[in-house]
Amino acid sequence: ETGVTQTPRHLVMGMTNKKSLKCEQHLGHNAMYWYKQSAKKPLELMFVYNFKEQTENNSVPSRFSPECPNSSHLFLHLHTLQPEDSALYLCASSQVGGEWTKNIQYFGAGTRLSVL
Amino acid sequence: KQEVTQIPAALSVPEGENLVLNCSFTDSAIYNLQWFRQDPGKGLTSLLLIQSSQREQTSGRLNASLDKSSGRSTLYIAASQPGDSATYLCAVSPTYGNNRLAFGKGNQVVVIP
């Protein structure tokens, strides 16, 4: 258990569905991240939240909508996805700022998303 | 834009052999470099982190070196075991306070019993 929990672990959805991915971190960190991992490609950073504020949106299509209600929870709302959005979606958290900051990111196990 | 390359993409070694995994990055202005392990269908686990001012880090059978000026890092795994079979990912962090990691595609390792 890494301290970062993602649900659901697997999700199959149609192109017209609306679903949400959830991430919760139990590490007391102040930053959270969404990544997309597709076959044969490097991990792609999607969104970054520092202290609940979005600081990075890496040109992600608007059909992906993040929400960070507090520093422990992060959601990714999905709607009208495309088959090419099928991938492993990983959440991570880290502690940033301060003298002892090594920016180690701790990852959840991911949600395997299939869009039909 | 930082680009991270890992060679080889995949390799198989017999149990007991030492593993050498290579990572290169195009922009040497990094804050730190991390090696992660990923098992199939799972998330990433941080193995070692090297600050830009350091040359190497060691943890048990793992040793990671960093040559920042040439944009290279190497992960050594001594006396490999079947449990070391996984994908190993290299990631670099640009500057202090910037938590945007750039990842390589990974080295997929199989250790044959």
Side-chain angles (χ1 to χ4, degrees), chain B residues 11-109:
Chain B
L11 72 160
S12 296
V13 298
E15 182 177 359
E17 275 200 9
N18 297 330
L19 278 163
V20 180
L21 307 178
N22 296 300
C23 171
S24 62
F25 44 95
T26 54
D27 186 349
S28 62
I30 65 169
Y31 179 59
N32 62 45
L33 181 145
Q34 294 185 65
W35 282 94
F36 291 88
R37 170 183 171 140
Q38 186 176 28
D39 293 291
K42 301 288 182 63
L44 279 64
T45 301
S46 182
L47 297 174
L48 290 167
L49 180 145
I50 311 177
Q51 295 286 86
S52 60
S53 57
Q54 298 175 318
R55 298 283 294 181
E56 67 176 350
Q57 280 286 347
T58 298
S59 176
R61 293 184 295 112
L62 276 60
N63 175 279
S65 65
L66 175 63
D67 185 342
K68 181 183 167 185
S69 60
S70 66
R72 293 178 187 173
S73 177
T74 301
L75 178 66
Y76 299 87
I77 303 178
S80 61
Q81 303 170 358
D84 294 328
S85 299
T87 297
Y88 293 84
L89 295 157
C90 170
V92 296
S93 178
T95 56
Y96 176 79
N98 183 334
N99 43 8
R100 190 180 190 283
L101 292 179
F103 281 85
K105 293 182 181 180
N107 305 107
Q108 187 175 4
V109 172

Side-chain angles (χ1 to χ4, degrees), chain A residues 1 22 24 28 32 45 79 89 93 106 114:
Chain A
E1 178 59 53
K22 179 182 176 182
E24 182 175 0
M32 297 187 75
L45 179 65
H79 64 97
Y89 289 84
S93 71
Y106 293 83
S114 297

Side-chain angles (χ1 to χ4, degrees), chain A residues 20-21 23 32 34 47 49 52 54 64-70 73-77:
Chain A
S20 296
L21 309 185
C23 177
M32 297 187 75
W34 279 117
F47 301 103
Y49 278 82
K52 302 186 300 177
Q54 187 180 127
F64 295 91
S65 175
E67 178 189 1
C68 188
N70 55 61
H73 293 86
L74 185 65
F75 295 89
L76 188 62
H77 303 300

